[in-house]
Amino acid sequence: QSTWGFILRAKIKLDDLPSISQKNIQQNFKQPTTMPPNTERETFNACHKLNLDELNARFESASPQEILEWCLENIAEGLVQSTSFGEGGIIIIDLLYRAIKKRQVPILFLDTLHHFRETVDLAERCRDTYNLDLRTYSPENASNKGEFASNYGHALWISDIEQYQYLTKVEPIKRAMNELGVVAWITGRRRDQASSRTHLRVFELDSAGRLKINPLAHWTKRESWRYIANNKLMYNALLDQGYGSIGDEQLTTPIVAGEHERAGRWRDSKKTECGIHVF
C-alpha cells in the first residue's frame, strides 16, 4: 500500500490538514472542528484518498513560497528536498532557509563522485551560507572516481549508461529515502526544462507512493533567473561558461545559441532523465 494510500475517517478541512507522520498517518489528522461563519469549506469526503487533483487545482497559480509553506505546515516528518544545486534547487533552498525559515528541511545531495568541481564547491558554499542540514549520499563501496572504476568498471557510462545511472543516482536515492524515512520530497523541476516535463504537476506521487512536490513547475527560466538576480543568489559558475544544465562532468557539454537548456545532457543520446525522476 502506498504511503499516501490512506483513508480519511471523517470530513476534514483542507486548511486544517495537520502534520503528516510516516509512522501513523491516520492518527495525525485532526477531527473536524466547528468552522467560523463564512469560512471557505474545502473538504474531502470520508473513505476517499488524498485528492491530488484538488491539491493541484488549488496550487496551480500559487507562488513557490506558498506551496512550500503548505508543505511545512502539513508535513511534520519525512519531508526533504532533493537537489544537485542547479538554479531551481538554489531557489528552493533560499525560500526554505531564508524566506520562510520555519524549520530545517534536510537537503538530499547525491554525490555521484563524477560531479564537476564547481558543483561540489557550490554545495559546500550553500551548506555554509545557509547552515543546511545537508545529507550526502554516494554510490555504495566507493568514495572516489578511482574506487568506483575499480569496483564497477572503467568508463561505465560508455559501456552501460543505465547501470552507471543506477549505481550513481537510483540506488543512492532509494537508500536515502529509506534511511531518512521520506514521505514527501521537493524538487526544482520546471515544465519548460524539457519535453518530458511539459505536463509536470505541482503535486504528484513517485513509484513508491511518496508525495513529490514541484514548487517551480509553472515557473519559466526567465522567472527563475529573475529571482536569482533580485535576491543575489549564488549559482554554478559553469552556467556562465556556456552550460545550460549541469550533471556529471563526462556526460555534460555546453550548449550553443538556440539549443534547449538540457541539450548538453547525454548529448547525442535519447536519454532525457538520469533516473531519479523515473524510478
Side-chain angles (χ1 to χ4, degrees):
Q1 184 177 2
S2 69
T3 304
W4 288 77
F6 53 84
I7 297 177
L8 305 187
R9 294 178 179 174
K11 289 186 176 182
I12 58 175
K13 182 173 178 289
L14 182 58
D15 288 340
D16 287 341
L17 277 173
S19 302
I20 297 169
S21 167
Q22 183 190 33
K23 295 180 180 178
N24 197 329
I25 295 173
Q26 286 184 341
Q27 289 183 1
N28 277 336
F29 279 87
K30 296 176 182 176
Q31 295 300 316
T33 57
T34 302
M35 299 180 191
N38 301 321
T39 298
E40 180 184 9
R41 296 170 182 267
E42 297 177 339
T43 62
F44 296 110
N45 289 326
C47 301
H48 283 188
K49 298 179 181 179
L50 181 65
N51 193 320
L52 292 184
D53 289 336
E54 290 190 21
L55 270 181
N56 279 299
R58 176 179 178 178
F59 287 98
E60 176 58 31
S61 299
S63 70
Q65 181 165 336
E66 289 171 330
I67 294 166
L68 291 171
E69 286 175 341
W70 183 91
C71 293
L72 291 170
E73 290 169 2
N74 295 290
I75 309 173
E77 298 180 14
L79 176 67
V80 304
Q81 177 193 352
S82 173
T83 183
S84 57
F85 293 90
E87 57 268 36
I90 298 292
I91 290 170
I92 292 171
I93 286 172
D94 186 69
L95 288 169
L96 288 172
Y97 277 78
R98 181 193 61 80
I100 303 174
K101 206 172 181 178
K102 287 187 177 179
R103 70 173 192 264
Q104 282 195 319
V105 174
I107 307 299
L108 174 57
F109 174 51
L110 301 181
D111 183 358
T112 65
L113 309 178
H114 297 81
H115 281 302
F116 287 93
R117 181 68 247 176
E118 288 85 349
T119 301
V120 177
D121 288 345
L122 178 60
E124 294 172 351
R125 287 173 57 207
C126 284
R127 178 198 62 200
D128 297 341
T129 300
Y130 291 97
N131 189 29
L132 299 181
D133 179 8
L134 185 62
R135 311 295 182 94
T136 302
Y137 281 76
S138 300
E140 286 190 307
N141 306 314
S143 59
N144 54 57
K145 289 182 180 179
E147 289 182 359
F148 184 90
S150 296
N151 291 333
Y152 302 112
H154 178 71
L156 183 62
W157 57 89
I158 296 176
S159 60
D160 192 340
I161 183 62
E162 298 303 330
Q163 179 67 357
Y164 172 78
Q165 300 279 215
Y166 178 82
L167 292 170
T168 58
K169 292 290 190 74
V170 179
E171 188 284 324
I173 198 170
K174 285 185 174 182
R175 179 163 27 101
M177 295 287 186
N178 290 332
E179 291 183 2
L180 299 177
V182 175
V183 298
W185 52 303
I186 303 164
T187 87
R189 295 179 299 162
R190 306 189 320 268
R191 291 172 187 153
D192 70 344
Q193 286 178 317
S195 59
S196 60
R197 299 180 178 182
T198 302
H199 302 291
L200 185 67
R201 306 177 88 194
V202 174
F203 294 96
E204 57 184 355
L205 297 181
D206 69 14
S207 61
R210 301 181 184 91
L211 186 64
K212 196 171 182 180
I213 307 111
N214 307 299
L216 305 179
H218 58 278
W219 266 23
T220 63
K221 182 177 181 179
R222 182 182 295 273
E223 288 174 301
S224 297
W225 280 101
R226 183 184 298 124
Y227 183 95
I228 290 171
N230 289 345
N231 293 280
K232 298 179 173 59
L233 303 189
M234 63 189 82
Y235 59 88
N236 198 313
L238 293 172
L239 295 172
D240 290 332
Q241 300 175 34
Y243 290 85
S245 176
I246 301 163
D248 287 347
E249 185 172 3
Q250 74 282 1
L251 293 171
T252 309
T253 63
I255 59 176
V256 298
E259 282 192 313
H260 201 276
E261 66 180 274
R262 288 176 64 84
R265 303 287 295 275
W266 310 283
R267 188 174 288 282
D268 300 323
S269 79
K270 295 181 180 180
K271 283 190 68 64
T272 59
E273 300 285 353
C274 64
I276 65 172
H277 294 301
V278 295
F279 80 91

